[in-house]
Amino acid sequence: MSEILNNLVIQPITATIVVGTTPISITPTATQLNLYTTAPTPIGGLNSYVQYNDNGVLGGASGIQYDKLLTTTTITNLRIPSTVNMKMGGGTNGYVLQTDGTGNLTWTSQTGGGGGNGVPGGANTQIQFNDAGSFGGAAGLTYDKITGNISMPGNVYIGGILTATVLNAYHSNVSDVANLVAGANVSGTVSNAVYADSAGAAVTAITAEIAGTVTANAQPNINSVGILTSLSVSGITTIQEAIEKFTPNAIAASGTINYNLLTQAIIYNTTNATSNFTLNFRGNSSVSLNTMLSINQSITCTFINTNGNSPYYANVIQVDGVVISPSWVFAPAGIANGKDVYTFNILKTAANTYMALGSVVGYT
């Protein structure tokens, strides 16, 4: 059978039926009849499902439903490609969509920003904080994006443990009232600490001007056996035993012997003196004794001179190149074929002013 391209239409037919003397008229309504060579395609899915081409047949989209009474379309999931711009009518520039929690959306002005629409508060570089529901800028609390530095004008209060590596801590204290570095609560490395009260196993202060408690050895100026480059003690020092070094000198005593008190406490001349000599007390070649000692400070030192058949002795005493007159127990005269042990206690009473107490004992 060839394809039928047109529909068959039953035209109106008027039939007259006479019953008795009263006529009855019947007029059929025009009826449209469609003929198909195959069965009609069934509608996919459930009622209200929007139809789509499902591999050549109609399919019902359960995620897209149309309500003909409300004339609304409900979409369960909507995905828009990133390359596609989505536009919605209504609203005002800068407005956002707001939900009432039941699915209804309305356009509304955005609140909670320093200037609205997410504009930060405060001045440029100021770090933001929640200021009663709005963005606020903290004056002085700033961030430099180039250096990565944060500037902080106020105090930092830490309730837990602070772990950090600090290059320079000008006042390394957790509680400013006590000016302490709490070793149990601070871990890391402090390169320079102006005040480090407790620096132990939990924290390393590479340079501490004031160190209340230092428990670890191998410090930059303290080696593993506890040798100090220098030590200033304002109170009482108690020791069990002291070992003191001496400086041997194989050059025979004569002329001027410079006594460097910064590094020499005892000098032992091992070669026989060749003439009377001068002892010049100083800090070293670049530091004077006047600089080394403060007023009302003193220093004690010992000089051992070796003599042969001819006894020579120290006949001139100087401080920083200036002759002084010590007070002697017995004036030195030297001892032949023996050793003269000179002991001096030098007291600084004023600037460049000294009192020297000397004694000499000859040993054969």
Side-chain angles (χ1 to χ4, degrees):
M1 178 177 180
S2 61
E3 182 180 0
I4 299 176
L5 299 178
N6 297 318
N7 297 325
L8 297 178
V9 180
I10 300 175
Q11 298 295 333
I13 300 173
T14 302
T16 301
I17 301 174
V18 178
V19 179
T21 59
T22 303
I24 298 175
S25 297
I26 299 175
T27 304
T29 303
T31 302
Q32 181 174 321
L33 176 65
N34 296 324
L35 298 179
Y36 300 92
T37 58
T38 59
T41 302
I43 297 175
L46 302 178
N47 185 44
S48 78
Y49 283 12
V50 172
Q51 303 297 295
Y52 68 98
N53 186 337
D54 186 9
N55 198 23
V57 298
L58 291 176
S62 60
I64 308 176
Q65 301 182 31
Y66 177 74
D67 190 321
K68 67 179 181 180
L69 297 178
L70 301 177
T71 65
T72 58
T73 301
T74 302
I75 301 176
T76 304
N77 295 297
L78 178 63
R79 178 180 296 176
I80 301 175
S82 59
T83 56
V84 176
N85 294 324
M86 179 179 178
K87 296 183 178 180
M88 299 180 64
T92 304
N93 182 31
Y95 275 36
V96 296
L97 284 175
Q98 176 177 280
T99 179
D100 62 0
T102 62
N104 298 315
L105 298 176
T106 56
W107 291 105
T108 182
S109 60
Q110 182 173 349
T111 60
N117 198 24
V119 178
N124 185 39
T125 73
Q126 290 184 358
I127 295 177
Q128 304 296 290
F129 66 97
N130 187 336
D131 189 6
S134 299
F135 279 118
L141 182 60
T142 59
Y143 174 73
D144 190 323
K145 67 179 180 181
I146 297 178
T147 63
N149 294 333
I150 295 177
S151 298
M152 190 177 307
N155 298 322
V156 178
Y157 297 93
I158 301 173
I161 297 176
L162 172 64
T163 302
T165 298
V166 182
L167 180 61
N168 290 287
Y170 294 104
H171 205 128
S172 55
N173 59 316
V174 174
S175 174
D176 194 58
V177 175
N179 290 332
L180 301 178
V181 170
N185 296 324
V186 179
S187 62
T189 300
V190 179
S191 295
N192 293 284
V194 174
Y195 198 108
D197 185 79
S198 178
V203 62
T204 301
I206 296 177
T207 301
E209 292 184 9
I210 301 174
T213 303
V214 178
T215 59
N217 61 13
Q219 301 296 318
N221 62 338
I222 305 174
N223 68 16
S224 58
V225 295
I227 297 177
L228 295 174
T229 303
S230 61
L231 177 65
S232 176
V233 179
S234 60
I236 298 175
T237 301
T238 302
I239 59 175
Q240 179 176 343
E241 189 61 67
I243 299 175
E244 190 174 16
K245 76 168 187 176
F246 70 90
T247 303
N249 181 21
I251 300 175
S254 65
T256 299
I257 299 173
N258 289 313
Y259 208 124
N260 296 326
L261 291 171
L262 278 173
T263 56
Q264 297 171 325
I266 301 173
I267 297 179
Y268 173 31
N269 268 30
T270 60
T271 304
N272 294 336
T274 58
S275 66
N276 291 336
F277 51 90
T278 297
L279 289 178
N280 179 42
F281 296 103
R282 63 184 188 177
N284 57 28
S285 59
S286 60
V287 179
S288 66
L289 187 62
N290 185 62
T291 300
M292 176 179 166
L293 292 181
S294 298
I295 296 175
N296 297 330
Q297 285 187 335
S298 67
I299 191 167
T300 301
C301 59
T302 299
F303 180 79
I304 304 173
N305 179 55
T306 301
N307 280 322
N309 292 328
S310 300
Y312 297 106
Y313 61 94
N315 61 341
V316 178
I317 306 298
Q318 296 179 342
V319 173
D320 294 333
V322 178
V323 176
I324 63 171
S325 299
S327 298
W328 294 96
V329 176
F330 297 104
I335 185 172
N337 298 313
K339 292 177 174 55
D340 292 321
V341 179
Y342 297 80
T343 300
F344 295 93
N345 190 358
I346 303 173
L347 297 78
K348 181 177 177 180
T349 58
N352 295 305
T353 304
Y354 305 92
M355 179 179 69
L357 304 176
S359 66
V360 58
V361 177
Y363 294 87
T364 60

